[in-house]
Every structure is written in structure tokens, then in C-alpha cells.
Amino acid sequence: MAKLGIVGAGHVGEIVAYTAALRGGFREIALCDVDEKRLDGVVSDLEDATRFYPHNIDFFAADYKQIADADIIVIASGRIPENAQRRDEFKNNHEDVAHYVPEIVKNGFTGVFVVVTNPCDAIAYHVWKYSGFDKCRIIGSGTALDSERARTMLARILGVAPDSVACMMLGEHGDSQFLPYSRVRIHHMALDEYLKKHYMELDKAEFEESVIYRGHRAFFGKGSTQYGIANTVNDILDAVLYDEKRTLQVSALHQGEYGVDDVFISTPCVVGTAGIEEVVELTLTEEELARYRESAETIRKYRVEA
């Protein structure tokens, strides 16, 4: 069976490992972290639940050489600055990936990187650069979680099941992301059609803002997001592991799509064993397309300013 590597055993890394264990796709899960004391505690805690997983799993604390034979590596390390500014967060986290990504590749890693470390899109770009891998083998978690938030929140407002809502957040995994309302469907009906039929109203700008704020609510309330990101990341892992050819809302390198070039940014992508197998370019309104391009420039600025 497959092996999963995770760089970063913090709140996100450990819950990604636990969720992967519950889903049962991996025989080995190796975690590495610069904080060896915490790493030992996380591995021990995960091992204690072994009887409750679908099958026996080997958890172990690893260095960069020991995770290099993994099939997939999740990058979940991170240093959040005291001022919580994305620009400074990028500087800190970029320094870290610049150190360990070449080390992992040098030791023989040939799989797929899934990047969760924020700012996710900008960090994914540099993982691609430092790894020397084909673009398809770098997947940013992007707006996968944001899209699930939008789906769940809209379902609650309208009183329908989340599975009956088709919507997504496009662009940066950050404040410049947006909801393309032209693509929203409720019970396969266009949103405006559904609202009119059911005599309902929705403040679209307010709703979009509430989706974007949702991550801040979790962070400032409990210090991190965990359950949503763990499951969205594991959806990506499953799509790669089982070659699902599944369409997921992830961050991928753009080379002309939407008029955007040389930026990792989120749009629907087909994900399978090779990683990102197709970047899906949607038909958007002129306003939505302009916002997408603006979001891409926001991501690019992290690199330029740092």
C-alpha cells in the first residue's frame, strides 16, 4: 500500500494525518517537523488510535531523507507572523520551503506535492520552482476549502442539502477570491432562477464577504482551521491515490488560461495519479474574468514584494 509524507506536524499536519488514517488509503504515514518534541508527541498520539483505523498503519517521525520514498507529500509547515500579514507569512514560509524541498527531491522523491502552507498559491509556485518537477505534480489546496464553505453556507441559507448546491470560489486562497455567481446552481437551476421561483433574496456581496471571513473566524477563534482543511486535502490525496480523474477546486500553474500566466491560482482541475491532469477554463462573465485576473496579480505581488 501507499506511503504518505507530511512536512509540518502542527495543527494542520496532524489532523491531515489522522484523517488520512481514518480513510485507510495509506499503510505508512511519515511526519517531519523541526520541533522534535512536538513531533514525538503527535506520532505517539496517532499510534494510540491504531485499533480504530480500518487497518494497521505505521506512523513514524522522519527526516527529509526518510519521507523521500513517499507516494505523496503534503507540505503543511508554517510560521505565522505576529502581525498576521500575508506578506510576512510568505517571507517566512518561502525561506522554509527553499530549504527543504530541494533536500527532499535530492533524496529521491518522485511523487506529487500537495501544498497547504500559506499563502498557498505563492508557496505552490516556489515548490514547483525548487523541485524542478513538471507543473502537474504540484497541487495547491487553493480554494478547495473555501468552496466547501460557500456550498455549506449557501445550503443552510436556502434550506437545501449541500450536495444540491454547485458553487465554487475562484482565484486566490485569500481576500481577493470571489464567488462567480454565473456558475452557481441549486438543484441544477441557476441561482437567480431558483431565488425567483422560491420568492427568496440573497445579498450576493454580503454572502461572498462572509465566505471569505469564515477562515478568519476559525483562526481568531481557535488558532487554526483543522476539520475542513483535513477533509479537503484528503479528497485531493484520494484523487491522486486512486486515480479518480476527479474535478477539484485546486491551485494550479496557469499558462495562458483566463489570460493568466506564470501564477498558481484556483480553478476547477481534473486530478488523478499524475497530479493535475487538466486545468478547466470556465466561461465567465466579463466582470468575473476581470476579478480573476486581478486576483492573479494579487498572488504575483507576494513574490515581487518579498
Side-chain angles (χ1 to χ4, degrees), residues 147-180:
S147 296
E148 292 302 325
R149 289 169 176 156
R151 182 198 304 268
T152 299
M153 294 165 67
L154 190 55
R156 288 188 174 182
I157 290 171
L158 300 180
V160 301
D163 283 346
S164 297
V165 177
C167 69
M168 70 196 78
M169 300 298 287
L170 292 179
E172 174 202 14
H173 175 55
D175 291 345
S176 71
Q177 67 182 274
F178 68 98
L179 200 164

Side-chain angles (χ1 to χ4, degrees), residues 71-172:
D71 298 275
I72 309 170
I73 291 179
V74 175
I75 292 181
S77 62
R79 291 184 285 157
I80 300 175
E82 291 184 5
N83 61 14
Q85 292 296 310
R86 280 288 206 209
R87 187 180 300 105
D88 294 330
E89 185 178 22
F90 171 74
K91 183 177 183 298
N92 291 344
N93 294 337
H94 168 251
E95 289 174 357
D96 292 340
V97 299
H99 166 66
Y100 65 68
V101 167
E103 283 294 311
I104 292 170
V105 173
K106 183 178 71 174
N107 281 288
F109 180 60
T110 59
V112 172
F113 280 114
V114 176
V115 182
V116 186
T117 296
N118 280 321
C120 170
D121 310 286
I123 294 297
Y125 179 88
H126 286 282
V127 171
W128 171 58
K129 285 291 190 181
Y130 292 128
S131 69
F133 283 5
D134 186 275
K135 63 179 182 178
C136 70
R137 290 166 59 194
I138 313 298
I139 306 173
S141 58
T143 58
L145 174 56
D146 306 290
S147 296
E148 292 302 325
R149 289 169 176 156
R151 182 198 304 268
T152 299
M153 294 165 67
L154 190 55
R156 288 188 174 182
I157 290 171
L158 300 180
V160 301
D163 283 346
S164 297
V165 177
C167 69
M168 70 196 78
M169 300 298 287
L170 292 179
E172 174 202 14

Side-chain angles (χ1 to χ4, degrees), residues 1-34:
M1 294 180 71
K3 177 178 177 177
L4 174 65
I6 301 175
V7 180
H11 295 298
V12 172
E14 70 172 320
I15 196 67
V16 166
Y18 179 63
T19 306
L22 289 174
R23 293 198 182 192
F26 297 94
R27 181 65 181 82
E28 295 179 84
I29 299 179
L31 300 99
C32 62
D33 197 288
V34 294

Side-chain angles (χ1 to χ4, degrees), residues 213-278:
Y213 175 72
R214 188 82 165 185
H216 299 296
R217 178 181 171 186
F219 176 77
F220 290 112
K222 56 175 288 205
S224 69
T225 58
Q226 288 181 287
Y227 308 111
I229 189 61
N231 281 283
T232 51
V233 168
N234 271 275
D235 272 0
I236 299 170
L237 299 181
D238 286 350
V240 175
L241 186 61
Y242 302 118
D243 197 22
E244 292 180 340
K245 314 295 186 188
R246 184 176 178 184
T247 305
L248 296 171
Q249 192 70 19
V250 294
S251 187
L253 181 69
H254 282 38
Q255 295 180 314
E257 295 88 355
Y258 303 100
V260 171
D261 190 56
D262 202 37
V263 170
F264 271 74
I265 186 171
S266 285
T267 189
C269 295
V270 179
V271 180
T273 296
I276 293 176
E277 300 186 357
E278 181 181 352

